[in-house]
Structures are given as structure tokens and as C-alpha cells.
Amino acid sequence: MFGCTRCGAELTVPVSRVALPDHARQTYSHELLPALMESGTYAVEPEPFGPPWRQWSEVAAQESSARGVLAPVPALSFGSPGAIVVAPGDVRGTVLIPGRCEGYCLGLDGSSGPNLACARCGRPVATRVDDCTLWQAVWLDPDAVHPLTADAPALPADWAALGREYEAVPPVEQGGWWDPRWEAALGSALAHLLAAAVGTPVSVPDGLLAETLGRALDLLLPHKRAPRKTAALAGPGLPALDPAPDIALVPRHPRTGEVWQAPPGVAHTVPVPAGVWLHLALEPAQSPTPTSGRLPDGVERDDPLPLRPRSLFRPDPRILLHTLARLPAVREPWLRAIHDRVDKYPYRRPF
């Protein structure tokens, strides 16, 4: 439970810490999105959050490198690191601050900084975000709140229970749109795959991986005669791969943020949020794109039919760029060229 540092008023219900979702930094379409966090949970943003902002041209290269940002970004926050994000419904004892309720379209975007004050003493304590394109959340100011109760001792990731305790996230929503959580998760995974490729083409298994990541890898990586690297899923409950792939896509635990340790022989691991990884690894193999022809004898049609996407998969280019800018490999000219190409043409294929 978090409270106001000035007066001690309770500002949240009891919440437990989980890993920060990949889509926490995502903007999506022009519609109202649901809550970023599940009720009863909180996460911490390790990077500075909120205003003041400085444009990339105003930040010295040495200063940005010290922050771990190694390629151009639109702007850098110089707010305090460690903002605590909770679901809006888990907040108590706050009131909106008049004059700080700016929004782009249908709600609050938090562009002016904290827009919620402690109802007891009036201190600005949090930023509510619920405008269109943004995941609904309340970001508690780490300088204005403190924990009133202690978290339970951190438990190690229970990989054996991953499939029992957490749900897989289907890739396609009702209406035929790709789930934005998939676009964010695989935008981040694509950045790690590109870095691990070291400029060499990468092959992924047929099926959903090929339909989501394979196309982007083929378009962004150079076509060389050299042997292609291989990437495949690995993780708890999956059989060992023989031979081992060059790159393993492994789950990141949703509670601890821990990345599953790949088996020996795998040179690189790429973390994938557990909900997306579970669908890729454990759901029945079903292609989300229609196929033609008749069903083989003895095969019955699914009922209900799996949802079909309206379009080809589009990794989130902003999440891709955010992740690439923070990977040391982006200093390499070949990867920096990919970063700059996506940055300059964010709507060119595959985006």
C-alpha cells in the first residue's frame, strides 16, 4: 500500500509488485484502451518518467550514453526514475488538479506532469493517463509517495507453474485486429533478434512465428549467401531442440521479470512476455491466416473457427526503436542503419 509522504494518507489499495509490461510505453491507434495493470498489482518504471522533457538535439551524447540511450530518440525525460504504475481503480484519496487536465482527445494524457493531488493535504502525487491511444494507468510520483506496508519476500520464478498460473494472450482480437500487446511484445523481441543476428539472415519455424516475426526479419536483415542463423522457441514444458538453435525465444516471468535460462548450446536468448510466449509455445498450432483447399479425410473443422486477422502482422515500430536505442549492439553501423531506416520511415514495410 502506498501513501502520501507529506501527510501519510493512504493512496492505494494493497498491491503486489509484478514486472513492467512491454506495452507500458505503447501508443496504439485512436481508441480507448483498457487498464495497463491488473487490479491488485503495481510495477516500477526504472527510467526517468514525465516532465521535464528535453529534445534529443539538446542532450549531449555523453549524457545520453550515461543514461543507457545509445541512438536518437524523440525526447528524453528528466523526471525522477522509479515511477510506480497501478490500475486507476486501485487508487484512493486523490483529486484532480485544475489546470493540469490536458488531453489529446478523449481524456488525460499527463503531458503537464502530476494531475492528481492527495485529497487530504493537496500535494501533487500522481499522474492519471486515460486518453485515447494510451493504456489507462496512474503513475505515482516516487518523490511524493512511499510504501506504507512492506511487500512480501520476493519468491523466485516458478517456471513449472507458468502455464497453470498465467493465461496465454491470443494474437487476434474480436473484429480481426492483432492484439496490441502482441505488437508491443514482438516489437521488443524483434529488436533483440536483430541484435543477435549480427547482420546475418535469420530463419524461424513455419507457423505463427513466421507470420509475425519472419516477414520483418526477411525485410530488415540483408540477404546474404552465408548460412542463415536459426531462431526457435525454448522454455519450460517444451522438448529440448536438437540441434540447438542459434537464438532461443524464451519467456519472461510476468511476476519477477526473470528471463528463462536457455539450455547449453544456445548463443543468444530473446525474452518474450509470458502471455505471448505461452500462446506461441503451448496453444494448438493454428495459422491465423486463411488457407484454401479441402480438409484432409478424418480432420474435423474447428468450431468456433479461430479468429482471422484483417491484415499482415505489424511489430510496433516505436517499441522496436525504444528497445534498439538501449541495446549496445546499436552502436554497430549495420544495426544503426536499420534503426535509422525504421525511424525515418516508420510506416514502410513491415510496419
Side-chain angles (χ1 to χ4, degrees):
M1 186 181 294
F2 291 90
C4 176
T5 56
R6 176 183 290 175
C7 69
E10 297 177 359
L11 299 177
T12 72
V13 301
V15 287
S16 298
R17 184 168 181 174
V18 297
L20 184 70
D22 275 15
H23 54 286
R25 307 174 184 92
Q26 184 182 39
T27 58
Y28 181 79
S29 186
H30 283 280
E31 58 186 66
L32 291 175
L33 295 171
L36 171 67
M37 304 299 297
E38 291 186 11
S39 181
T41 68
Y42 78 95
V44 177
E45 168 60 85
E47 295 192 14
F49 175 83
W53 294 88
R54 288 168 61 184
Q55 297 298 311
W56 178 256
S57 58
E58 302 170 358
V59 181
Q62 186 175 2
E63 188 175 10
S64 62
S65 295
R67 293 266 301 267
V69 182
L70 309 173
V73 294
L76 279 175
S77 167
F78 280 80
S80 297
I84 300 137
V85 60
V86 297
D90 285 347
V91 175
R92 301 289 185 270
T94 61
V95 293
L96 287 168
I97 302 174
R100 290 196 180 178
C101 297
E102 293 89 346
Y104 172 73
C105 186
L106 299 173
L108 309 174
D109 63 11
S111 58
S112 296
N115 54 25
L116 291 177
C118 172
R120 180 186 293 177
C121 69
R123 176 172 184 172
V125 292
T127 303
R128 173 155 183 162
V129 175
D130 56 16
D131 206 349
C132 67
T133 78
L134 303 171
W135 291 86
Q136 297 187 39
V138 171
W139 296 84
L140 303 173
D141 185 342
D143 298 324
V145 305
H146 67 138
L148 299 178
T149 55
D151 262 343
L155 298 174
D158 186 353
W159 293 112
L162 186 68
R164 299 193 306 270
E165 296 183 357
Y166 298 95
E167 294 184 356
V169 176
V172 183
E173 298 180 316
Q174 292 291 339
W177 303 110
W178 289 98
D179 191 300
R181 292 171 292 180
W182 273 67
E183 296 183 359
L186 297 188
S188 177
L190 177 60
H192 289 278
L193 276 167
L194 291 170
V198 196
T200 302
V202 174
S203 295
V204 297
D206 292 337
L208 193 50
L209 263 183
E211 291 161 2
T212 52
L213 288 173
R215 175 172 162 267
L217 290 168
D218 287 343
L219 289 169
L220 293 176
L221 289 171
H223 295 275
K224 295 182 177 179
R225 293 178 178 268
R228 298 172 71 93
K229 291 189 175 181
T230 58
L233 293 169
L238 293 184
L241 297 172
D242 187 19
D246 301 299
I247 306 166
L249 288 90
V250 301
R252 184 175 59 248
H253 201 278
R255 177 173 51 82
T256 66
E258 181 183 343
V259 177
W260 190 77
Q261 178 112 15
V266 175
H268 302 278
T269 57
V270 171
V272 179
V276 172
W277 183 91
L278 283 169
H279 187 93
L280 286 167
L282 305 178
E283 290 294 307
Q286 292 178 339
S287 170
T289 55
T291 56
S292 59
R294 299 178 60 182
L295 291 172
D297 293 339
V299 177
E300 297 181 358
R301 183 176 297 279
D302 291 332
D303 186 19
L305 291 173
L307 294 172
R308 308 296 191 189
R310 293 172 175 261
S311 60
L312 295 172
F313 183 76
R314 177 181 182 268
D316 191 307
R318 294 185 183 90
I319 300 295
L320 169 66
L321 291 171
H322 177 94
T323 307
L324 278 178
R326 288 155 176 82
L327 295 179
V330 81
R331 291 191 174 107
E332 298 294 331
W334 69 270
L335 189 54
R336 177 60 183 271
I338 292 176
H339 172 281
D340 293 349
R341 169 188 161 189
V342 176
D343 188 32
K344 187 175 182 180
Y345 304 105
Y347 299 106
R348 180 180 288 181
R349 294 186 308 163
F351 307 106

